[in-house]
Amino acid sequence: MRIIERVTEMQQQAESWRREGRRIALVPTMGYLHEGHLTLMREARNHGDEIVVSIFVNPTQFGPGEDFERYPRDMARDELLAGEVGVTVVFAPSVREMYPDGYQTFVEVMEVTRPLCGRSRPVHFRGVTTVVAKLFNIVKPDAAVFGEKDFQQLTVIRRMVDDLNMDVQIIGHPIVREEDGLAMSSRNAYLTGSQRGAALSLSRALGEAERMVHGGERRGAVILDAVRSQLGSEGELRIDYAELRDPDTLENVTEIRGPTLLALAAFVGQTRLIDNRVLPG
Ligand code: PAF
């Protein structure tokens, strides 16, 4: 496995693979890899001959006061794990390499970035789409794999790819969970023992909502009341949002008539966690 830190070197490598007819699959990450990321890399092997994993904690997607500085990092361990799942190249540029002096270009998707995480993190998706567009230009992937835990992010990236005619196949991969149900996330490393217990109520609330729909409940307000009271019973947890949305357009849903996204975000202590499930129609 090769580690590449320079944009031009990555572009040359990608170009030479393309000339040889090799398919490139990209897994963009911010590192501190866990089983969820490794699952995306295994999935990437179904879509490319050469697997590139980018590891870059992207400053432009963090707002003021968010956790950019303290976001967990462990490059040595990440390289080891990526090597074990058959990654060809880890692309790990510096912030200066990605955003040199004088940098001033951003990619912004409009409607689908406004609700949910976009409301409480106003600059977040602009940073995500900008860095992902840059990664696509640098790595030139045929396919890119993203986790469905960041459901809105996946929707936003699909929109960008369609709108800007980017020639990349976007693959979404289902959420990978710990045995106790907690959705895997690098930010889980911030949680204390009791906070971790509180965080479990997110997946429990999703399960409860799904049972209600299976039981015939269709009223969005009733389902959201049950979800909020499940989350509200945890003293250490503060709800950011609990919403029902159309999984394609992210428009608000008040009555379940087809597959519906139940999206949750909550602060457990200082840590903001998200989780979601597409409820059956
Ligand atoms: O999902 C993430 O880890 C990040 O938002 C991404 C897609 C790697 C862009 O920095």
Side-chain angles (χ1 to χ4, degrees):
M1 191 184 71
R2 221 173 125 195
I3 316 292
I4 296 182
E5 293 176 351
R6 295 278 175 204
V7 166
T8 47
E9 194 183 340
M10 185 69 247
Q11 283 174 316
Q12 281 159 10
Q13 175 62 84
E15 203 43 54
S16 113
W17 282 332
R18 282 191 159 246
R19 271 199 306 271
E20 292 162 16
R22 311 280 293 161
R23 269 181 71 84
I24 305 170
L26 168 68
V27 182
T29 81
M30 296 206 299
Y32 210 69
L33 303 179
H34 50 67
E35 186 52 35
H37 294 116
L38 302 182
T39 308
L40 301 184
M41 295 173 204
R42 288 185 203 105
E43 174 65 28
R45 293 200 303 227
N46 300 324
H47 302 279
D49 309 303
E50 309 292 351
I51 311 306
V52 178
V53 171
S54 60
I55 297 183
F56 180 63
V57 184
N58 173 36
T60 62
Q61 69 188 76
F62 291 79
E66 291 187 351
D67 56 345
F68 172 67
E69 302 294 347
R70 69 179 190 117
Y71 194 85
R73 294 160 169 91
D74 188 343
M75 190 53 91
R77 185 173 158 275
D78 287 352
E79 286 170 10
L80 212 70
L81 291 172
E84 280 170 14
V85 291
V87 165
T88 331
V89 164
V90 168
F91 175 55
S94 65
V95 171
R96 217 183 156 69
E97 183 71 4
M98 290 296 269
Y99 300 109
D101 283 348
Y103 188 89
Q104 51 186 286
T105 303
F106 289 87
V107 177
E108 193 167 359
V109 175
M110 309 305 279
E111 297 308 320
V112 288
T113 63
R114 305 235 197 274
L116 304 173
C117 290
R119 206 175 302 127
S120 40
R121 306 186 70 192
V123 298
H124 175 65
F125 287 115
R126 187 179 94 135
V128 169
T129 42
T130 299
V131 82
V132 170
K134 281 171 71 67
L135 288 169
F136 287 174
N137 284 332
I138 296 166
V139 179
K140 309 173 199 279
D142 297 277
V145 187
F146 295 85
E148 287 176 359
K149 185 171 83 67
D150 297 287
F151 196 98
Q152 187 177 16
Q153 169 172 282
L154 183 56
T155 308
V156 168
I157 289 168
R158 286 192 202 282
R159 190 73 258 159
M160 171 183 78
V161 165
D162 276 3
D163 288 355
L164 297 183
N165 312 101
M166 292 173 165
D167 196 9
V168 186
Q169 185 190 2
I170 301 300
I171 319 282
H173 191 279
I175 298 178
V176 181
R177 296 181 180 280
E178 305 280 359
E179 264 182 33
D180 58 11
L182 184 65
M184 286 194 184
S185 163
S186 304
R187 288 192 170 99
N188 292 350
Y190 298 146
L191 300 173
T192 64
S194 69
Q195 288 175 342
R196 203 194 141 89
L200 288 179
S201 63
L202 288 167
S203 55
R204 278 201 212 106
L206 294 172
E208 171 66 13
E210 187 161 56
R211 275 189 293 281
M212 290 174 80
V213 174
H214 278 308
E217 185 56 73
R218 293 286 176 269
R219 293 165 298 173
V222 174
I223 294 168
L224 290 178
D225 274 353
V227 165
R228 289 191 184 113
S229 70
Q230 167 102 42
L231 297 177
S233 65
E234 289 295 343
E236 291 194 80
L237 185 149
R238 182 167 59 81
I239 301 173
D240 181 7
Y241 62 72
E243 294 186 27
L244 291 167
R245 297 267 163 180
D246 180 289
D248 296 321
T249 62
L250 300 188
E251 277 162 12
N252 198 37
V253 169
T254 53
E255 196 176 326
I256 313 278
R257 294 212 185 110
T260 302
L261 173 71
L262 172 55
L264 307 179
F267 287 92
V268 182
Q270 299 293 305
T271 307
R272 188 173 179 280
L273 299 175
I274 55 174
D275 203 345
N276 71 76
R277 185 165 301 186
V278 177
L279 303 174

mmCIF file of all heavy atoms in Angstrom, residues 1-2 23 32 37-38 73 85 96 126 136 139 151 159 195 200 215 217 222 240 246 257:
data_model
loop_
_atom_site.group_PDB
_atom_site.id
_atom_site.type_symbol
_atom_site.label_atom_id
_atom_site.label_comp_id
_atom_site.label_asym_id
_atom_site.label_seq_id
_atom_site.Cartn_x
_atom_site.Cartn_y
_atom_site.Cartn_z
ATOM 1 N N MET A 1 0.850 -1.203 0.000
ATOM 2 C CA MET A 1 0.000 0.000 0.000
ATOM 3 C C MET A 1 0.882 1.247 0.000
ATOM 4 O O MET A 1 1.877 1.300 0.692
ATOM 5 C CB MET A 1 -0.879 0.004 1.254
ATOM 6 C CG MET A 1 -1.957 1.053 1.220
ATOM 7 S SD MET A 1 -2.882 1.090 2.762
ATOM 8 C CE MET A 1 -1.688 1.773 3.885
ATOM 9 N N ARG A 2 0.471 2.233 -0.801
ATOM 10 C CA ARG A 2 1.259 3.456 -0.925
ATOM 11 C C ARG A 2 0.570 4.604 -0.185
ATOM 12 O O ARG A 2 -0.667 4.684 -0.193
ATOM 13 C CB ARG A 2 1.290 3.798 -2.416
ATOM 14 C CG ARG A 2 2.610 4.283 -2.898
ATOM 15 C CD ARG A 2 2.556 4.425 -4.399
ATOM 16 N NE ARG A 2 2.949 5.784 -4.735
ATOM 17 C CZ ARG A 2 2.755 6.342 -5.910
ATOM 18 N NH1 ARG A 2 2.136 5.684 -6.863
ATOM 19 N NH2 ARG A 2 3.157 7.575 -6.137
ATOM 20 N N ARG A 23 -10.185 0.399 -13.010
ATOM 21 C CA ARG A 23 -11.265 1.183 -12.374
ATOM 22 C C ARG A 23 -10.817 1.632 -10.993
ATOM 23 O O ARG A 23 -10.230 0.844 -10.230
ATOM 24 C CB ARG A 23 -12.519 0.325 -12.226
ATOM 25 C CG ARG A 23 -13.478 0.413 -13.406
ATOM 26 C CD ARG A 23 -14.702 -0.443 -13.146
ATOM 27 N NE ARG A 23 -15.581 0.122 -12.109
ATOM 28 C CZ ARG A 23 -16.491 1.049 -12.342
ATOM 29 N NH1 ARG A 23 -16.664 1.523 -13.558
ATOM 30 N NH2 ARG A 23 -17.246 1.507 -11.353
ATOM 31 N N TYR A 32 -9.277 8.112 11.674
ATOM 32 C CA TYR A 32 -9.635 7.462 12.928
ATOM 33 C C TYR A 32 -10.594 6.317 12.596
ATOM 34 O O TYR A 32 -11.711 6.235 13.085
ATOM 35 C CB TYR A 32 -10.247 8.453 13.937
ATOM 36 C CG TYR A 32 -9.947 8.032 15.362
ATOM 37 C CD1 TYR A 32 -8.653 8.092 15.860
ATOM 38 C CD2 TYR A 32 -10.935 7.528 16.195
ATOM 39 C CE1 TYR A 32 -8.353 7.673 17.145
ATOM 40 C CE2 TYR A 32 -10.647 7.109 17.485
ATOM 41 C CZ TYR A 32 -9.354 7.192 17.948
ATOM 42 O OH TYR A 32 -9.062 6.772 19.215
ATOM 43 N N HIS A 37 -15.869 2.234 8.549
ATOM 44 C CA HIS A 37 -15.043 2.637 7.395
ATOM 45 C C HIS A 37 -14.509 1.410 6.651
ATOM 46 O O HIS A 37 -14.472 1.374 5.428
ATOM 47 C CB HIS A 37 -13.814 3.431 7.868
ATOM 48 C CG HIS A 37 -14.112 4.745 8.487
ATOM 49 N ND1 HIS A 37 -13.827 5.020 9.815
ATOM 50 C CD2 HIS A 37 -14.644 5.879 7.981
ATOM 51 C CE1 HIS A 37 -14.165 6.255 10.080
ATOM 52 N NE2 HIS A 37 -14.674 6.803 8.994
ATOM 53 N N LEU A 38 -14.081 0.404 7.432
ATOM 54 C CA LEU A 38 -13.476 -0.783 6.792
ATOM 55 C C LEU A 38 -14.514 -1.501 5.933
ATOM 56 O O LEU A 38 -14.206 -2.027 4.865
ATOM 57 C CB LEU A 38 -12.887 -1.732 7.853
ATOM 58 C CG LEU A 38 -11.820 -1.094 8.768
ATOM 59 C CD1 LEU A 38 -11.262 -2.137 9.738
ATOM 60 C CD2 LEU A 38 -10.684 -0.467 7.978
ATOM 61 N N ARG A 73 -7.398 11.657 15.802
ATOM 62 C CA ARG A 73 -6.513 11.335 14.668
ATOM 63 C C ARG A 73 -5.535 10.249 15.090
ATOM 64 O O ARG A 73 -5.010 10.303 16.207
ATOM 65 C CB ARG A 73 -5.714 12.592 14.251
ATOM 66 C CG ARG A 73 -6.565 13.731 13.680
ATOM 67 C CD ARG A 73 -5.789 15.039 13.779
ATOM 68 N NE ARG A 73 -6.388 16.152 13.028
ATOM 69 C CZ ARG A 73 -7.262 17.020 13.494
ATOM 70 N NH1 ARG A 73 -7.721 16.899 14.733
ATOM 71 N NH2 ARG A 73 -7.716 18.016 12.747
ATOM 72 N N VAL A 85 -7.211 -4.280 4.714
ATOM 73 C CA VAL A 85 -8.397 -4.569 3.891
ATOM 74 C C VAL A 85 -8.124 -4.406 2.392
ATOM 75 O O VAL A 85 -9.057 -4.383 1.590
ATOM 76 C CB VAL A 85 -9.640 -3.737 4.292
ATOM 77 C CG1 VAL A 85 -10.173 -4.147 5.633
ATOM 78 C CG2 VAL A 85 -9.373 -2.259 4.247
ATOM 79 N N ARG A 96 -2.729 22.529 4.068
ATOM 80 C CA ARG A 96 -2.101 23.475 3.136
ATOM 81 C C ARG A 96 -2.104 22.956 1.700
ATOM 82 O O ARG A 96 -2.232 23.717 0.739
ATOM 83 C CB ARG A 96 -0.663 23.703 3.594
ATOM 84 C CG ARG A 96 -0.200 25.093 3.410
ATOM 85 C CD ARG A 96 1.243 25.280 3.804
ATOM 86 N NE ARG A 96 1.778 26.428 3.109
ATOM 87 C CZ ARG A 96 1.412 27.674 3.350
ATOM 88 N NH1 ARG A 96 0.535 27.927 4.300
ATOM 89 N NH2 ARG A 96 1.911 28.678 2.671
ATOM 90 N N ARG A 126 -21.348 22.918 2.767
ATOM 91 C CA ARG A 126 -20.523 23.633 1.788
ATOM 92 C C ARG A 126 -19.075 23.114 1.851
ATOM 93 O O ARG A 126 -18.413 22.920 0.835
ATOM 94 C CB ARG A 126 -20.583 25.127 2.089
ATOM 95 C CG ARG A 126 -19.914 25.984 1.084
ATOM 96 C CD ARG A 126 -20.059 27.446 1.457
ATOM 97 N NE ARG A 126 -18.909 27.882 2.215
ATOM 98 C CZ ARG A 126 -18.260 29.024 2.008
ATOM 99 N NH1 ARG A 126 -18.687 29.857 1.089
ATOM 100 N NH2 ARG A 126 -17.225 29.341 2.735
ATOM 101 N N PHE A 136 -12.705 14.260 -5.947
ATOM 102 C CA PHE A 136 -13.067 13.639 -7.225
ATOM 103 C C PHE A 136 -12.111 14.120 -8.343
ATOM 104 O O PHE A 136 -11.729 13.345 -9.210
ATOM 105 C CB PHE A 136 -14.519 13.966 -7.599
ATOM 106 C CG PHE A 136 -15.556 13.226 -6.759
ATOM 107 C CD1 PHE A 136 -16.919 13.508 -6.898
ATOM 108 C CD2 PHE A 136 -15.184 12.251 -5.847
ATOM 109 C CE1 PHE A 136 -17.869 12.827 -6.146
ATOM 110 C CE2 PHE A 136 -16.129 11.569 -5.085
ATOM 111 C CZ PHE A 136 -17.469 11.865 -5.226
ATOM 112 N N VAL A 139 -8.547 12.318 -7.377
ATOM 113 C CA VAL A 139 -8.448 10.847 -7.406
ATOM 114 C C VAL A 139 -9.073 10.275 -8.684
ATOM 115 O O VAL A 139 -8.815 9.141 -9.064
ATOM 116 C CB VAL A 139 -9.100 10.242 -6.128
ATOM 117 C CG1 VAL A 139 -9.042 8.729 -6.123
ATOM 118 C CG2 VAL A 139 -8.409 10.787 -4.868
ATOM 119 N N PHE A 151 -26.820 10.339 6.239
ATOM 120 C CA PHE A 151 -27.800 10.186 5.162
ATOM 121 C C PHE A 151 -27.937 11.480 4.359
ATOM 122 O O PHE A 151 -27.977 11.483 3.132
ATOM 123 C CB PHE A 151 -29.156 9.780 5.757
ATOM 124 C CG PHE A 151 -30.102 9.235 4.735
ATOM 125 C CD1 PHE A 151 -30.250 7.863 4.573
ATOM 126 C CD2 PHE A 151 -30.840 10.074 3.911
ATOM 127 C CE1 PHE A 151 -31.109 7.349 3.608
ATOM 128 C CE2 PHE A 151 -31.698 9.570 2.952
ATOM 129 C CZ PHE A 151 -31.838 8.203 2.798
ATOM 130 N N ARG A 159 -26.833 14.854 -5.181
ATOM 131 C CA ARG A 159 -27.369 16.052 -5.854
ATOM 132 C C ARG A 159 -26.244 16.792 -6.594
ATOM 133 O O ARG A 159 -26.382 17.179 -7.748
ATOM 134 C CB ARG A 159 -27.987 16.952 -4.770
ATOM 135 C CG ARG A 159 -28.794 18.116 -5.193
ATOM 136 C CD ARG A 159 -30.137 17.714 -5.731
ATOM 137 N NE ARG A 159 -30.090 17.768 -7.180
ATOM 138 C CZ ARG A 159 -30.924 17.115 -7.986
ATOM 139 N NH1 ARG A 159 -31.879 16.358 -7.508
ATOM 140 N NH2 ARG A 159 -30.815 17.224 -9.285
ATOM 141 N N GLN A 195 -22.248 8.294 29.188
ATOM 142 C CA GLN A 195 -22.737 8.964 27.972
ATOM 143 C C GLN A 195 -23.035 7.942 26.884
ATOM 144 O O GLN A 195 -23.986 8.070 26.125
ATOM 145 C CB GLN A 195 -21.690 9.967 27.469
ATOM 146 C CG GLN A 195 -21.581 11.189 28.353
ATOM 147 C CD GLN A 195 -20.469 12.121 27.929
ATOM 148 O OE1 GLN A 195 -19.567 11.720 27.183
ATOM 149 N NE2 GLN A 195 -20.501 13.343 28.402
ATOM 150 N N LEU A 200 -27.252 5.220 23.446
ATOM 151 C CA LEU A 200 -27.970 4.054 22.913
ATOM 152 C C LEU A 200 -29.445 4.341 22.676
ATOM 153 O O LEU A 200 -30.111 3.637 21.902
ATOM 154 C CB LEU A 200 -27.856 2.874 23.887
ATOM 155 C CG LEU A 200 -26.478 2.219 23.969
ATOM 156 C CD1 LEU A 200 -26.498 1.086 24.969
ATOM 157 C CD2 LEU A 200 -26.089 1.714 22.585
ATOM 158 N N GLY A 215 -46.843 -1.606 13.335
ATOM 159 C CA GLY A 215 -48.122 -1.780 14.025
ATOM 160 C C GLY A 215 -49.241 -0.971 13.389
ATOM 161 O O GLY A 215 -50.364 -0.959 13.895
ATOM 162 N N GLU A 217 -49.185 2.510 12.716
ATOM 163 C CA GLU A 217 -49.215 3.963 12.970
ATOM 164 C C GLU A 217 -48.687 4.711 11.738
ATOM 165 O O GLU A 217 -47.651 4.354 11.184
ATOM 166 C CB GLU A 217 -48.336 4.293 14.199
ATOM 167 C CG GLU A 217 -48.391 5.751 14.611
ATOM 168 C CD GLU A 217 -49.817 6.229 14.896
ATOM 169 O OE1 GLU A 217 -50.386 5.853 15.936
ATOM 170 O OE2 GLU A 217 -50.346 6.984 14.041
ATOM 171 N N VAL A 222 -47.385 11.560 16.010
ATOM 172 C CA VAL A 222 -47.461 10.544 17.074
ATOM 173 C C VAL A 222 -46.123 9.799 17.168
ATOM 174 O O VAL A 222 -45.585 9.564 18.253
ATOM 175 C CB VAL A 222 -48.637 9.564 16.794
ATOM 176 C CG1 VAL A 222 -48.650 8.420 17.787
ATOM 177 C CG2 VAL A 222 -49.959 10.331 16.798
ATOM 178 N N ASP A 240 -31.130 17.572 19.205
ATOM 179 C CA ASP A 240 -30.935 18.654 18.238
ATOM 180 C C ASP A 240 -32.123 18.636 17.270
ATOM 181 O O ASP A 240 -32.810 19.631 17.085
ATOM 182 C CB ASP A 240 -29.594 18.475 17.522
ATOM 183 C CG ASP A 240 -29.322 19.590 16.528
ATOM 184 O OD1 ASP A 240 -30.095 20.556 16.487
ATOM 185 O OD2 ASP A 240 -28.342 19.497 15.766
ATOM 186 N N ASP A 246 -38.721 12.956 3.479
ATOM 187 C CA ASP A 246 -38.680 12.135 2.272
ATOM 188 C C ASP A 246 -37.214 11.752 2.015
ATOM 189 O O ASP A 246 -36.348 12.621 1.994
ATOM 190 C CB ASP A 246 -39.234 12.963 1.098
ATOM 191 C CG ASP A 246 -39.225 12.177 -0.191
ATOM 192 O OD1 ASP A 246 -38.120 11.936 -0.738
ATOM 193 O OD2 ASP A 246 -40.309 11.813 -0.663
ATOM 194 N N ARG A 257 -46.513 7.519 4.090
ATOM 195 C CA ARG A 257 -47.239 6.936 2.949
ATOM 196 C C ARG A 257 -46.332 6.054 2.115
ATOM 197 O O ARG A 257 -46.779 5.322 1.266
ATOM 198 C CB ARG A 257 -47.773 8.056 2.059
ATOM 199 C CG ARG A 257 -48.822 8.884 2.728
ATOM 200 C CD ARG A 257 -49.830 9.401 1.691
ATOM 201 N NE ARG A 257 -50.769 10.290 2.338
ATOM 202 C CZ ARG A 257 -50.822 11.594 2.145
ATOM 203 N NH1 ARG A 257 -49.993 12.165 1.301
ATOM 204 N NH2 ARG A 257 -51.718 12.332 2.778
#
